Amino acid sequence: MTEAAALPGQPRGGVISGAATARAHCVLAPNPSAMTLDGTNTWIVAEPDSDLAVVIDPGPLDEGHLQAVIDTAERAGKRIALTLLTHGHPDHADGAARFAELTRSAVRALDPALRLGGEGLAAGDVITAGGLELRVVPTPGHTADSLSFHLPADRAVLTGDTILGRGTTMVAHPDGRLGDYLDSLRRLRSLTVDDGVSTVLPGHGPVLNDAQGAVEFYLAHRAHRLAQVETAVEAGHRTPAEVVASVYADVDRSLWPAAELSVRAQLDYLGEHGLIEG
C-alpha cells in the first residue's frame, strides 16, 4: 500500500491536471499557495461524444489560465456552453466575468451577484448540456453560498472547497457556519451511501478515490477539533487567537489567520449548543 493510498480518501497520485474521469478534465490554475495548495482546479465536464462542455470554477482572473481552459476544451472538440461556480471566493470566481466574455457563456451561481446572463442554482436543480447531467447539491458551511455538483454518470461529486484533495478546509466565519458545514458533510456522505458516489473532484488538490472515506475523515476531524477547542476554553483560553495558539500549535503559522476563522465558527457552534458559556 502506497502512502497516498493509506490517507483518508486515497488521494490519486501523479499530475493533477488532465483527465480525472470519463467526463471530467482538470486544468490547474497557476495560483499555488498555502491556502490554494497546488492551485485552483478548473473543471471541464462533458459527455465524451458531445461537442458541448460545462466549466466549473474558471478560477482567478489570469488570462493565460482562462485561455488554457478554452484551448483544452477546443482540442477535445468541445464548445463551452455554460459556466458554474461552487462559491464566490476569488481563487474560484474572479475570472468568471472575463471567461464568460471569452466564451459567450452564461455564469450560474447561488449568489445573485456572481450570475451573468444565467439563472440561479438551487437544491435539486439538474443541469444538462449535450447529454451531460449535473445535479446541484447545496453544501454551505465553508461559505454560505457553497455548492457541490453530483456527476452521476461518473459516480463523482465536484466539491469546490467543501472537501479538498489534501488536508482539510476552513469554515470562513462569519459567512461560513460550522453547523451548516457538518450538515453538508452528512449530505455528501448520503451521496456516497445512497447514490454510489465513489470519487471526489475537489477545488484544490488531487482527486480522491474513496469519497466515503474522505467524508468520514472530515466528520471525525471536525469532531476532534471541536473537542480540542472546548478543552482549550475550559483551560482558560478565551479569545480566538489564544485558542488557535493552543489548538493549532503544530500548524504552519501562515495558516493561523484561516485557523482563527474556523475557531470563531467553532466557538459560535459550541455556544449555540450550550457547550461553553458565551
Side-chain angles (χ1 to χ4, degrees):
M1 180 179 290
T2 66
E3 180 180 357
L7 294 172
Q10 298 180 11
R12 189 176 299 177
V15 178
I16 292 174
S17 279
T21 68
R23 293 165 180 79
H25 187 107
C26 178
V27 181
L28 181 64
N31 61 333
S33 72
M35 291 296 295
T36 61
L37 305 181
D38 310 89
T40 301
N41 295 337
T42 293
W43 291 100
I44 303 171
V45 189
E47 284 296 316
D49 58 354
S50 172
D51 63 352
L52 298 180
V54 174
V55 164
I56 298 172
D57 289 351
L61 181 53
D62 180 294
E63 290 283 344
H65 172 64
L66 300 179
Q67 191 61 51
V69 175
I70 295 168
D71 292 346
T72 300
E74 290 181 347
R75 282 195 298 270
K78 301 184 187 302
R79 176 178 63 83
I80 295 162
L82 179 64
T83 301
L84 304 175
L85 297 178
T86 62
H87 64 297
H89 277 169
D91 55 312
H92 293 258
D94 262 11
R98 175 58 175 156
F99 191 70
E101 181 181 358
L102 292 170
T103 60
R104 298 180 181 178
S105 66
V107 177
R108 295 183 65 182
L110 181 61
D111 185 348
L114 299 172
R115 302 172 197 163
L116 290 168
E119 301 173 356
L121 295 170
D125 283 354
V126 178
I127 297 157
T128 58
L132 178 75
E133 181 181 296
L134 287 166
R135 300 175 184 172
V136 177
V137 182
T139 48
H142 169 67
T143 61
D145 69 332
S146 286
L147 298 171
S148 295
F149 298 98
H150 178 199
L151 179 56
D154 285 348
R155 298 174 61 199
V157 61
L158 298 107
T159 55
D161 283 357
T162 300
I163 293 179
L164 305 178
R166 188 169 59 249
T168 56
T169 196
M170 70 170 180
V171 177
H173 180 275
D175 181 50
R177 295 178 57 83
L178 182 56
D180 291 342
Y181 185 65
L182 294 174
D183 287 343
S184 294
L185 291 177
R186 296 182 190 109
R187 192 170 295 118
L188 291 173
R189 180 171 58 187
S190 293
L191 285 181
T192 71
V193 174
D194 301 330
D195 297 277
V197 166
S198 59
T199 302
V200 172
L201 306 176
H204 302 278
V207 171
L208 299 177
N209 293 324
D210 175 11
Q212 187 172 356
V215 175
E216 296 291 359
F217 169 73
Y218 265 60
L219 284 166
H221 170 78
R222 281 296 163 196
H224 178 63
R225 282 296 194 211
L226 268 175
Q228 287 181 309
V229 170
E230 188 175 1
T231 298
V233 171
E234 291 172 350
H237 302 291
R238 294 296 177 182
T239 69
E242 289 171 349
V243 173
V244 167
S246 173
V247 172
Y248 292 82
D250 59 342
V251 174
D252 187 327
R253 284 185 173 240
S254 68
L255 297 175
W256 280 19
E260 185 168 328
L261 293 179
S262 281
V263 163
R264 289 180 182 274
Q266 291 170 90
L267 291 172
D268 281 357
Y269 180 87
L270 291 169
E272 289 165 3
H273 288 76
L275 298 173
I276 60 173
E277 294 183 5

